Amino acid sequence: MATENINPLNTTIGWIGTGVMGASMCLHIVKRGYKTFVFNRTREKARGLLEAGAIWVGSPKEVAERADIIFTMVGFPSDVEEVYFGEKGILKGVKPSAILIDMTTTKPSLAIEIYNAAKSKGASFIDAPVSGGDVGAKNATLSIMVGGDKDVVERVMPLLELLGKKIVYQGRAGSGQHTKMCNQIVVTGNMIGMCESLLYAYKSGLNIETVLSSISEGAASSWLLNNLTPRIVKGDFNPGFFVEHFIKDMEIALEEASRMNLCLPGLALVHQLYLATKAQGYGRLGTQALILALDSISKAGVFSKRD
Amino acid sequence: MATENINPLNTTIGWIGTGVMGASMCLHIVKRGYKTFVFNRTREKARGLLEAGAIWVGSPKEVAERADIIFTMVGFPSDVEEVYFGEKGILKGVKPSAILIDMTTTKPSLAIEIYNAAKSKGASFIDAPVSGGDVGAKNATLSIMVGGDKDVVERVMPLLELLGKKIVYQGRAGSGQHTKMCNQIVVTGNMIGMCESLLYAYKSGLNIETVLSSISEGAASSWLLNNLTPRIVKGDFNPGFFVEHFIKDMEIALEEASRMNLCLPGLALVHQLYLATKAQGYGRLGTQALILALDSISKAGVFSKRD
């Protein structure tokens, strides 16, 4: 990149990973007028972007050969490794002075590894995972947690601002991923508390809506309690966020915690219960499906998925 | 009670239990002009009420002999049993047609027992535990969760409205207590998620305030995260709610869950960790002291109580 200011006229963008999240996010950039090269494992999922003016290329390497700033938004840490370090990966084609931005939720240690590898090629890397789900991606209201070199983050800020509402610099490489882990660890606790409470409410003969009217604003109040309880009551287990992706996140957090010599018994328990949830066939349901596994443990028979 | 309408001129009140919560609550009733008979194990703690015009009597039985509507706000289920069923207990002196209201957080099964015992004396009983803490008691902003006969609840509503802001009828006898358990079960999860996340944040080198600015409004947001994190960061472990009272509540919930044949692994784990918190000498600190026990398990050495 030659200039400090990012300008659609002289900056080319690369985008790798056009799933539910990535496609919505990339579209904001394409619509803003940036020349955007895209790649995805399944080309079909990029169709909307191509119709909006994005340009298809055949591999992450080819994206890297063409773009000044490259976003990645893929699935699992192994996908991130492949996209960056693979035979046809970004680092095989990256331009010196390019900026690479991984928005996948992945391992902080992997973020640091990519940061160092990018640096050795004269390029920069920041980790910038998000929260806010598909709705946040569509409405550009994501929370973006950013780690890396601060001056690099500042240079791409105008692009991040096209994608999210709350963009916070958290510190050196990996800090964005660590912050996302903090978010997910809080969610594990809020989720088990909510699910066990709803089971207790049903079994003791209470009306859940009436219970909520007593407890939803005080010490028990949470985003999850207010947003997921109505879905659970309706038997709606459609994914806002997949069980299997949540398991991935918990496994990253547990691995990092172990590396830091940190015992997190709550996280470990919830992780185990989500393995049960997945084992029961609910891996592609929303995270609120935890209550189905908890229900089955006690054969409570009160919560079930409705079609 | 001769009339449907409660009127300070013709209704006498009894109040048993004038600790931090009870004294603040009773004062609203005294100030409203009701003739109020009070009893407390430690007379000294009722002094403010007596100065405001309340009348001291020597036992729960003597309160019952004088009052039309009697509130109890004591400590543990064993205290509630003593106050109602003891030699000098309420049921030894209760007037036919009196209304008894227990606002202590206690066992749903005990609430049902008192309900039946009161009925056999021609009196009525409702369970009406609260949430909102000492601040809610002082400002009359408590959430009051009510169980019992609906017509009885309606008759005392003007009195409950002097004490709380959100008063919700939850169903038959015991339902107020069950609802309070639902509240506490949610809190156990929110608490462990928050504490483990803060430990992770510190150990991974993040700044907690900066992390909060990323996660405090999305899927991880909760009353606890926003209200207790600032205290923890300051090393402030003063009680909003005592660890040992929270343990009592969890033990009630676990006992009731067991009776209902309901396995609640999250609640059970958090209960165990709070036993560790108490064992370490933190029983009279606020519930946020859980993080001190979690810190000690890993010898993390980041969170400590400041004087």
Side-chain angles (χ1 to χ4, degrees):
Chain A
M1 292 220 337
T3 63
E4 283 293 326
N5 295 322
I6 295 170
N7 183 325
L9 298 177
N10 60 17
T11 304
T12 53
I13 305 294
W15 194 286
I16 295 160
T18 58
V20 175
M21 295 291 292
S24 293
M25 292 160 75
C26 181
L27 191 60
H28 297 303
I29 288 174
V30 173
K31 283 190 169 165
R32 186 71 180 73
Y34 286 94
K35 185 169 188 176
T36 306
F37 298 96
V38 303
F39 172 76
N40 192 53
R41 227 159 25 187
T42 313
R43 181 171 173 159
E44 177 57 23
K45 292 187 181 165
R47 193 164 61 169
L49 289 168
L50 302 181
E51 285 168 359
I55 302 150
W56 179 262
V57 292
S59 70
K61 177 169 178 279
E62 288 175 55
V63 171
E65 286 162 353
R66 286 163 177 77
D68 301 315
I69 300 176
I70 301 167
F71 293 85
T72 52
M73 185 64 173
V74 295
F76 290 82
S78 58
D79 300 319
V80 175
E81 282 177 20
E82 178 67 21
V83 158
Y84 281 91
F85 296 111
E87 260 321 298
K88 296 184 170 181
I90 292 170
L91 290 163
K92 291 288 189 292
V94 67
K95 299 199 244 181
S97 85
I99 299 178
L100 314 176
I101 305 171
D102 185 24
M103 306 193 81
T104 318
T105 295
T106 182
K107 299 181 192 185
S109 57
L110 177 56
I112 293 165
E113 200 184 332
I114 303 173
Y115 172 89
N116 289 327
K119 194 160 238 176
S120 75
K121 302 263 182 184
S124 304
F125 175 79
I126 65 176
D127 49 299
V130 305
S131 80
D134 52 347
V135 175
K138 197 163 285 179
N139 300 336
T141 56
L142 294 169
S143 167
I144 309 179
M145 298 152 260
V146 193
D149 293 342
K150 196 166 188 179
D151 60 320
V152 176
V153 174
E154 277 162 10
R155 280 163 67 199
V156 298
M157 195 55 86
L159 283 164
L160 297 178
E161 285 168 349
L162 295 177
L163 308 178
K165 206 174 58 171
K166 189 191 295 277
I167 301 142
V168 182
Y169 177 69
Q170 294 287 349
R172 64 182 179 212
S175 297
Q177 298 296 349
H178 275 310
T179 303
K180 179 67 187 284
M181 290 303 115
C182 290
N183 186 83
Q184 300 303 68
I185 293 169
V186 174
V187 170
T188 60
N190 294 3
M191 192 70 82
I192 186 98
M194 174 186 73
C195 290
E196 292 192 355
S197 179
L198 296 184
L199 264 177
Y200 182 103
Y202 257 110
K203 285 288 270 188
S204 59
L206 299 172
N207 176 285
I208 286 189
E209 277 98 343
T210 313
V211 170
L212 268 192
S213 70
S214 275
I215 74 172
S216 67
E217 290 172 23
S221 80
S222 73
W223 186 95
L224 285 189
L225 187 68
N226 292 320
N227 285 273
L228 294 188
T229 300
R231 296 196 204 175
I232 290 170
V233 169
K234 278 188 291 186
D236 172 8
F237 292 94
N238 290 321
F241 186 59
F242 287 129
V243 163
E244 62 186 31
H245 285 163
F246 197 33
I247 289 174
K248 171 199 74 166
D249 293 356
M250 287 186 277
E251 289 177 351
I252 293 169
L254 284 166
E255 187 183 320
E256 291 287 325
S258 171
R259 198 184 49 73
M260 297 189 284
N261 223 358
L262 195 58
C263 164
L264 299 180
L267 171 61
L269 173 66
V270 176
H271 169 247
Q272 288 296 310
L273 292 169
Y274 269 100
L275 292 182
T277 309
K278 187 176 168 216
Q280 294 184 17
Y282 304 136
R284 300 290 286 179
L285 296 187
T287 49
Q288 68 271 29
L290 173 63
I291 204 166
L292 299 175
L294 285 169
D295 183 300
S296 78
I297 290 171
S298 297
K299 290 190 177 292
V302 282
F303 293 96
S304 59
K305 186 177 179 307
R306 273 162 229 166
D307 296 319
Chain B
M1 291 216 343
T3 64
E4 282 294 325
N5 295 321
I6 294 171
N7 183 326
L9 297 178
N10 60 17
T11 304
T12 53
I13 305 295
W15 194 287
I16 295 159
T18 58
V20 176
M21 295 292 290
S24 294
M25 293 160 76
C26 181
L27 191 59
H28 297 303
I29 288 175
V30 174
K31 283 190 171 167
R32 186 72 179 75
Y34 286 93
K35 184 169 187 176
T36 306
F37 298 95
V38 303
F39 172 75
N40 193 54
R41 226 157 27 186
T42 312
R43 180 171 174 160
E44 178 58 25
K45 291 187 182 165
R47 194 165 59 170
L49 289 168
L50 302 182
E51 285 168 1
I55 302 149
W56 178 263
V57 291
S59 70
K61 176 169 177 277
E62 288 175 55
V63 172
E65 286 163 352
R66 288 164 176 76
D68 302 315
I69 300 176
I70 302 167
F71 293 86
T72 52
M73 184 64 172
V74 295
F76 290 81
S78 58
D79 301 320
V80 175
E81 281 177 20
E82 178 68 20
V83 158
Y84 282 90
F85 296 110
E87 260 321 295
K88 295 182 171 182
I90 292 171
L91 291 164
K92 290 289 189 294
V94 69
K95 299 198 243 181
S97 84
I99 299 178
L100 314 176
I101 305 172
D102 186 24
M103 306 194 79
T104 317
T105 295
T106 183
K107 300 181 191 183
S109 57
L110 178 55
I112 294 165
E113 201 184 331
I114 303 173
Y115 172 89
N116 289 328
K119 194 160 238 176
S120 76
K121 302 264 182 181
S124 304
F125 175 78
I126 65 175
D127 49 299
V130 305
S131 80
D134 52 347
V135 175
K138 199 163 284 180
N139 300 335
T141 56
L142 294 168
S143 167
I144 308 179
M145 298 153 257
V146 192
D149 293 341
K150 197 166 187 180
D151 60 320
V152 176
V153 173
E154 277 162 9
R155 281 164 65 200
V156 298
M157 196 54 89
L159 283 165
L160 297 178
E161 285 169 348
L162 295 176
L163 308 178
K165 207 174 56 175
K166 189 191 295 275
I167 301 142
V168 182
Y169 177 69
Q170 294 288 348
R172 64 182 181 213
S175 297
Q177 298 297 348
H178 276 309
T179 303
K180 179 66 186 284
M181 290 302 114
C182 290
N183 186 83
Q184 300 303 68
I185 293 168
V186 174
V187 170
T188 60
N190 294 2
M191 192 69 82
I192 187 97
M194 173 186 74
C195 290
E196 292 192 355
S197 179
L198 296 184
L199 263 177
Y200 181 104
Y202 257 110
K203 286 289 271 189
S204 59
L206 299 172
N207 177 287
I208 286 189
E209 277 97 345
T210 313
V211 170
L212 267 192
S213 71
S214 275
I215 74 172
S216 67
E217 289 172 23
S221 81
S222 73
W223 186 95
L224 285 189
L225 188 68
N226 292 321
N227 285 273
L228 293 187
T229 300
R231 294 196 204 175
I232 290 170
V233 169
K234 277 188 292 185
D236 172 6
F237 292 93
N238 290 320
F241 186 58
F242 286 130
V243 163
E244 61 185 30
H245 285 163
F246 197 34
I247 289 173
K248 170 200 72 166
D249 293 356
M250 287 186 277
E251 290 177 351
I252 293 170
L254 284 165
E255 187 183 320
E256 291 288 325
S258 170
R259 198 184 48 74
M260 296 188 285
N261 223 358
L262 194 59
C263 164
L264 300 179
L267 172 61
L269 173 67
V270 176
H271 170 246
Q272 288 295 310
L273 292 169
Y274 268 101
L275 291 183
T277 309
K278 187 176 168 216
Q280 294 184 17
Y282 304 136
R284 299 290 286 178
L285 297 187
T287 49
Q288 69 271 29
L290 173 63
I291 204 166
L292 299 175
L294 285 168
D295 183 300
S296 78
I297 290 171
S298 297
K299 290 190 177 291
V302 282
F303 293 95
S304 60
K305 184 176 179 309
R306 272 161 230 166
D307 296 319

